[in-house]
């Protein structure tokens, strides 16, 4: 939604004259996904006292940030800095997941939902690619399409619906 609605967001927050910020915000919007993953997995490492993996993950990500910034900023300016930030954040997410998986294999991230998310994301991009609407309208339409597609492919975990109803989730019979 932020990538699609970046033009509207920049207009509202920064005002006219900041159009060059739109592509930068589009790139940085990718970091929203990785930031949620980092928050989950880094706090898991921290709470389980797996400090070494947490430190190594952050050191690797810092290295990616420095190298990426030095390599990309001279080539593509602010978009390069944004890409370096996204790359570092993605690296941190992957390294935290790897560290957590190594230390606690029972907490290894399950990725079987990714194809369903990709399918829903593809469906959400259809109106963006086909309809000449203002960015705020496209963001709303893409978001609604994404939600409907997620529901259709059962891409929303049942725990979410249980939480919305204020109930404890039903026990999974396949998990002992």
């Amino acid at each position: 939604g932020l990538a699609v609605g970046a033009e509207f967001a920049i207009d509202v927050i920064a005002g006219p004259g900041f159009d060059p910020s739109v592509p930068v915000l589009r790139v940085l919007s990718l970091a929203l996904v990785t930031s949620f993953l980092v928050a989950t997995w880094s706090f898991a490492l921290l709470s389980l006292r797996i400090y070494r993996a947490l430190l190594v993950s952050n050191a690797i990500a810092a290295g990616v940030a420095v190298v990426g910034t030095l390599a990309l900023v001279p080539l593509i300016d602010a978009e390069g800095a944004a890409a370096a930030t996204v790359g570092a954040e993605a690296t941190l997410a992957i390294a935290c997941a790897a560290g957590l998986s190594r230390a606690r294999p029972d907490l290894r991230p399950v990725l079987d939902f990714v194809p369903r998310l990709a399918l829903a994301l593809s469906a959400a991009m259809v109106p963006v690619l086909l309809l000449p609407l203002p960015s705020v309208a496209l963001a709303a339409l893409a978001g609604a399409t994404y939600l409907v597609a997620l529901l259709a492919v059962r891409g929303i975990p049942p725990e979410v619906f249980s939480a919305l109803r204020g109930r404890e989730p039903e026990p999974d019979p396949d998990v002992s």
Side-chain angles (χ1 to χ4, degrees):
L2 183 57
V4 174
E7 185 178 335
F8 175 75
I10 293 297
D11 285 346
V12 168
I13 293 170
F18 287 88
D19 291 342
S21 301
V22 171
V24 176
L25 182 58
R26 285 191 173 128
V27 173
L28 284 173
S29 70
L30 298 172
L32 287 175
V33 175
T34 55
S35 292
F36 278 103
L37 298 174
V38 165
T40 301
W41 294 328
S42 65
F43 279 116
L45 289 169
L46 186 63
S47 67
L48 295 169
R49 297 184 176 148
I50 308 171
Y51 303 127
R52 180 178 167 81
L54 190 57
L55 289 170
V56 169
S57 297
N58 278 278
I60 293 168
V64 168
V66 169
V67 171
T69 300
L70 292 174
L72 295 174
V73 169
L75 297 174
I76 49 177
D77 301 317
E79 287 178 64
T85 299
V86 171
E89 193 76 7
T91 299
L92 182 56
I94 291 166
C96 285
L100 186 60
S101 296
R102 209 173 307 115
R104 290 283 305 271
D106 58 314
L107 296 178
R108 179 171 286 127
V110 178
L111 302 176
D112 62 346
F113 64 92
V114 172
R116 288 178 287 201
L117 291 182
L119 184 61
L121 182 60
S122 298
M125 291 308 296
V126 170
V128 173
L129 298 173
L130 297 180
L131 300 176
L133 297 172
S135 69
V136 67
L138 282 175
L141 185 57
T145 304
Y146 183 66
L147 179 60
V148 169
L150 276 178
L151 289 168
V153 300
R154 297 179 187 238
I156 300 175
E159 297 86 13
V160 172
F161 297 110
S162 294
L164 290 172
R165 287 190 300 265
R167 297 186 201 151
E168 289 295 317
E170 298 290 325
D172 188 346
D174 295 331
V175 177
S176 48

